[in-house]
Amino acid sequence: MIKFFGSLKDGFAMESKNKIPNPFRDLSKVSLFEEIEKWLFNKIASISFDASVKSAFLLPIKKIKLFSSLYSSKIFELKKVYLQIKNAHPFYVGACEFLYEGGFGCLINDLEKILQSERKIRILARNYIKAIIKEKTKSNIFLKQFLGRAMYVIRKNSYTMHKLREAHKKLNELPDIEPNVFKVAVVGAPFVGKSSLVANLTGKKLEIGKYPFTTKRINIGRISNEKFEIVVYDTPGILDRPLEKGSVYEKKAYLILKYLADFVVFLIDPTESAGYSLVYQNRILSSIKKTMPTMPILVVETHADLLQISDNRFCISNVTGFGLDDLKQELIKIAEQWYYEKFSHGPSKPQLGHL
C-alpha cells in the first residue's frame, strides 16, 4: 500500500482552486437584438425633463450619454467572456471547431464584431452631442437620428448574436477541466454498455437507451474515497473510421481521450449483441492505441452473465453486478498510484494487472 505524504493531501486540496471552467458558459451573456433594443429604450424613456433645468437641449444629451454608457457596460461584460474564450484550453478550442458554425476562429471573429460596435456607438454619441451643442434647437431631431443610427449598428449584428446564443446551448455542455483529479474515460463501440458501467461504478443516473448512440454528450460520474476522487467520463460510442468522417459525438469522445483522460477503460462486448463484431471492436481499440501510444488502456469485457471469452481480462456484468467491485478497486489502485506520482514524484506509469 502506498503511503500518502503531505504534498499529496495539499495538492488534492488545491484541485478545486485549479479547476479550468468552461469558457463558453458565459456566452449566455450575449443578448439578442430584440432584448437590447427593449432594454435600452426602456432605460432612456425613464428619463424625464427636469423643470429646474432651463436648457431643454440637455435632456437629449443626457439620453444619448445614457444610451452609450449602458451599451458600453453590456459590451464590457462581453469583453471578459471574449478574453476567456480567446485563451481557451485546446480541449475547448477543438470542440468549438465542430460545434460552432465556421469553427473557433469564426466564433472569435463574431465576438469581435459585436465588441467593435461599442466603439462605433461611442463615436456616434460624441458627434451627436457636439451637434446638439452647436445647434440646440435641433436637439430632439439629433436625438432621433442618433437612436436610429445606433440601433442600426447594433442590428447589423443581430444574426451573429442569435448564432452565438444558439451555440451556447451546445458549448455549455462541455465539462470543466480538473487537472489535479485522476480522469478515466470509458470508451468503446456504440451500445456496448458504457453508460451502464459508469452508472454502476459511480452511482450517477444516466440516460441509458435501448438503441445505439443514446449518449450524445459527455457525462461525468465520480468515484470518491477518503483520500481522493476519480472522474469517470461516459463518452459517446465511436466507430472504426477516420476521425474527420466521424460524427460530432465521436469527435467529443476523441477530444476527451486527447486532452482530458489520464486512463482509458475500453469496453468490449464479446456477445456482439450490439451489432459490432469482436474483430470490428478490436480495430477500434487498435486505432486508439495507434493514435495515442502512451495512453494506458484497460480492456474490459462486458455481458459476463452471458459470455466470458478471456481469462486475463476484467469481465463484468452490468446486469448482475459481477466483477464491478473488482474493477472499481483496480481503478482506485491505479488512481492511487497516479496521485502518488503527481504529488509525491512516485513511479512514472500506472501498473496494470489486467490488460
Side-chain angles (χ1 to χ4, degrees):
M1 177 65 68
I2 297 172
K3 293 183 179 180
F4 291 102
F5 301 96
S7 59
L8 174 57
K9 182 179 179 182
D10 295 341
F12 181 64
M14 291 181 66
E15 179 278 318
S16 59
K17 187 175 181 181
N18 294 332
K19 182 182 290 188
I20 302 172
N22 180 344
F24 301 118
R25 195 155 289 138
D26 287 338
L27 273 179
S28 58
K29 293 181 179 178
V30 175
S31 298
L32 300 179
F33 169 75
E34 295 78 13
E35 295 170 348
I36 294 176
E37 182 180 44
K38 183 178 180 180
W39 176 66
L40 287 173
F41 277 94
N42 283 342
K43 288 290 185 180
I44 62 173
S46 66
I47 302 176
S48 57
F49 180 73
D50 188 346
S52 64
V53 179
K54 294 182 180 180
S55 303
F57 74 91
L58 292 176
L59 181 60
I61 289 178
K62 190 174 182 180
K63 289 190 174 187
I64 290 173
K65 285 183 176 180
L66 180 62
F67 185 106
S68 180
S69 174
L70 288 172
Y71 190 68
S72 292
S73 67
K74 186 167 283 291
I75 294 301
F76 179 76
E77 289 299 314
L78 188 60
K79 187 173 183 179
K80 291 190 288 187
V81 178
Y82 164 78
L83 292 174
Q84 290 174 2
I85 294 175
K86 191 174 183 181
N87 297 302
H89 185 281
F91 168 74
Y92 297 114
V93 175
C96 190
E97 288 296 338
F98 57 84
L99 290 177
Y100 189 78
E101 182 185 346
F104 183 76
C106 186
L107 185 145
I108 293 297
N109 288 337
D110 285 346
L111 284 171
E112 288 174 349
K113 288 178 187 176
I114 298 175
L115 295 179
Q116 289 163 5
S117 67
E118 187 269 342
R119 181 175 179 273
K120 293 177 181 178
I121 288 175
R122 274 194 292 110
I123 293 173
L124 277 175
R126 185 168 63 245
N127 290 339
Y128 272 99
I129 289 171
K130 287 180 179 178
I132 290 173
I133 293 173
K134 188 175 181 180
E135 298 184 69
K136 298 180 179 61
T137 57
K138 295 183 178 180
S139 61
N140 286 323
I141 294 175
F142 287 140
L143 171 62
K144 290 179 181 178
Q145 288 180 0
F146 166 77
L147 293 176
R149 293 185 66 182
M151 291 312 301
Y152 174 74
V153 169
I154 299 172
R155 188 184 295 111
K156 284 177 68 176
N157 290 317
S158 179
Y159 171 77
T160 302
M161 293 171 179
H162 185 269
K163 180 182 174 184
L164 286 165
R165 271 278 278 272
E166 285 298 306
H168 172 259
K169 298 174 183 177
K170 296 178 181 178
L171 294 167
N172 189 47
E173 294 181 350
L174 298 172
D176 294 337
I177 300 175
E178 301 173 72
N180 293 336
V181 176
F182 183 63
K183 296 172 286 296
V184 176
V186 177
V187 300
F191 207 47
V192 295
K194 298 182 296 297
S195 296
S196 295
L197 176 58
V198 173
N200 285 328
L201 288 175
T202 67
K204 174 85 171 183
K205 291 184 178 180
L206 301 173
E207 179 185 1
I208 301 172
K210 297 180 180 180
Y211 51 88
F213 297 106
T214 299
T215 302
K216 297 180 179 180
R217 58 185 296 175
I218 301 165
N219 296 307
I220 298 176
R222 296 177 186 272
I223 299 172
S224 302
N225 64 15
E226 68 279 4
K227 297 176 182 176
F228 51 73
E229 190 172 53
I230 303 171
V231 167
V232 184
Y233 295 115
D234 170 34
T235 65
I238 54 180
L239 300 175
D240 178 33
R241 56 183 173 183
L243 181 57
E244 61 272 14
K245 294 183 179 180
S247 68
V248 167
Y249 314 120
E250 290 173 83
K251 290 175 181 177
K252 286 182 182 179
Y254 274 108
L255 278 176
I256 288 289
L257 291 175
K258 184 176 182 179
Y259 292 114
L260 303 190
D262 301 300
F263 190 82
V264 169
V265 169
F266 188 86
L267 202 56
I268 281 185
D269 172 19
T271 69
E272 302 181 349
S273 58
Y276 303 97
S277 69
L278 278 172
V279 172
Y280 186 90
Q281 293 178 71
N282 278 305
R283 284 209 305 266
I284 298 174
L285 175 60
S286 297
S287 177
I288 293 174
K289 287 181 176 179
K290 183 178 180 180
T291 305
M292 300 164 190
T294 61
M295 176 68 72
I297 301 175
L298 180 65
V299 181
V300 175
E301 293 181 7
T302 188
H303 298 315
D305 52 312
L306 300 176
L307 177 65
Q308 294 185 38
I309 63 172
S310 177
D311 295 327
N312 62 346
R313 287 177 175 173
F314 273 100
C315 296
I316 59 102
S317 169
N318 285 312
V319 177
T320 66
F322 175 82
L324 290 174
D325 285 341
D326 290 339
L327 176 58
K328 188 173 184 177
Q329 290 307 310
E330 180 73 5
L331 292 177
I332 289 173
K333 183 176 72 174
I334 294 168
E336 189 174 44
Q337 191 168 350
W338 183 88
Y339 278 109
Y340 176 73
E341 173 193 347
K342 188 170 183 68
F343 297 112
S344 301
H345 309 291
S348 60
K349 291 183 179 180
Q351 303 301 307
L352 308 182
H354 297 74
L355 284 178

